[in-house]
Amino acid sequence: MTPAVPSPSHSALRTTHRHVQRIGGAATLALCCLALTACGPDVQGSPKPPPAFGPVQSGWFGCPSLQGVYAWPPVQPSGVRGSLPFFTGSAEMQVWVQQQRGETTLRTRTINRARNVRTSLTRQWSLVTYSGVQARCSSGMLDLAPQTAPSGNEPGASGKLQGFRLALLKDGGLAVGKRTLTTGNKGSYFSWGGQSYGSYDAPDVETWTWFKLARTAAGDSEPPIIDAHEPGATSP
């Protein structure tokens, strides 16, 4: 007679079952994390101008011309901060956009409305030029190539890029979108008591913010200087 093989105890069966459950749960979580990173960046905000700005102007071929003179500060929203696709250094400025031979040039110049203030900045342009390689048309909007962000990286991230998107609106205004891409993010499988356990490559985070500039002139020629200074004036 063949001796019977002793069967495992119930407690051993339960322990083995729990062990399989733990391994299965960890594997499922790992697969989910890998799937998240493979699906592209986590997008916060919209890559299109807000509906409150009004409809975007479309062109028959490529992007419509953005050439024009626009007013700073933005009409929507107020309190815009951080890096921009053009120089800003005054509370009120002219923004002159020119497009020639595939290049896009953004000029800014100070506006002075105080009679008792004298400044040469109302006559000097600051400019940034984007070549045809640095600017490309995407869905009727002009994308400016992302550059390394001037500020420090976010905690848990290894890199940050910042680019801009320009869109001509049907009312003549200019919508400016700021795209910030944070790469090299890390996530943890779980946390307990303030401690994180296990790490994985988390998805990149793409953040969009928008502001709108009002159009003041066609921009075919240099706009007139706006300077209210009067010699001898003692009040604005």
Side-chain angles (χ1 to χ4, degrees):
M1 178 182 297
T2 304
V5 178
S7 61
S9 65
H10 292 294
S11 60
L13 283 173
R14 286 196 296 270
T15 303
T16 303
H17 182 61
R18 287 197 301 269
H19 182 64
V20 171
Q21 280 186 326
R22 284 197 295 270
I23 294 176
T28 301
L29 183 57
L31 289 173
C32 290
C33 295
L34 289 174
L36 284 173
T37 56
C39 290
D42 175 18
V43 179
Q44 300 178 2
S46 173
K48 296 181 180 181
F53 286 9
V56 175
Q57 181 72 47
S58 59
W60 287 104
F61 301 100
C63 289
S65 174
L66 303 177
Q67 185 155 304
V69 182
Y70 305 90
W72 177 270
V75 291
Q76 295 186 57
S78 59
V80 175
R81 296 180 179 179
S83 60
L84 298 170
F86 46 79
F87 291 108
T88 56
S90 302
E92 190 175 2
M93 297 186 305
Q94 297 169 306
V95 181
W96 184 19
V97 180
Q98 284 185 299
Q99 291 183 299
Q100 296 177 346
R101 297 182 294 277
E103 293 185 340
T104 300
T105 300
L106 306 177
R107 290 180 170 86
T108 52
R109 186 169 67 182
T110 296
I111 294 175
N112 175 39
R113 300 192 185 278
R115 297 183 307 119
N116 62 335
V117 173
R118 181 178 181 180
T119 175
S120 62
L121 297 179
T122 57
R123 291 163 175 78
Q124 299 175 358
W125 289 105
S126 297
L127 65 87
V128 181
T129 297
Y130 297 89
S131 68
V133 176
Q134 296 172 311
R136 65 182 182 86
C137 186
S138 175
S139 303
M141 296 175 282
L142 190 69
D143 283 343
L144 304 180
Q147 305 290 332
T148 302
S151 58
N153 297 328
E154 297 294 331
S158 62
K160 181 187 285 188
L161 297 174
Q162 206 160 70
F164 300 94
R165 173 171 286 181
L166 308 180
L168 183 67
L169 303 173
K170 286 190 174 181
D171 66 0
L174 183 68
V176 181
K178 182 191 296 186
R179 172 180 177 259
T180 303
L181 183 66
T182 305
T183 62
N185 301 307
K186 295 292 183 181
S188 59
Y189 290 113
F190 63 94
S191 301
W192 182 263
Q195 297 292 324
S196 299
Y197 300 92
S199 65
Y200 61 89
D201 293 334
D204 296 341
V205 178
E206 180 179 297
T207 306
W208 286 91
T209 56
W210 289 87
F211 61 88
K212 177 182 177 180
L213 302 179
R215 188 184 185 95
T216 60
D220 297 330
S221 58
E222 182 175 354
I225 294 170
I226 302 177
D227 191 349
H229 174 255
E230 293 181 7
T234 58
S235 63

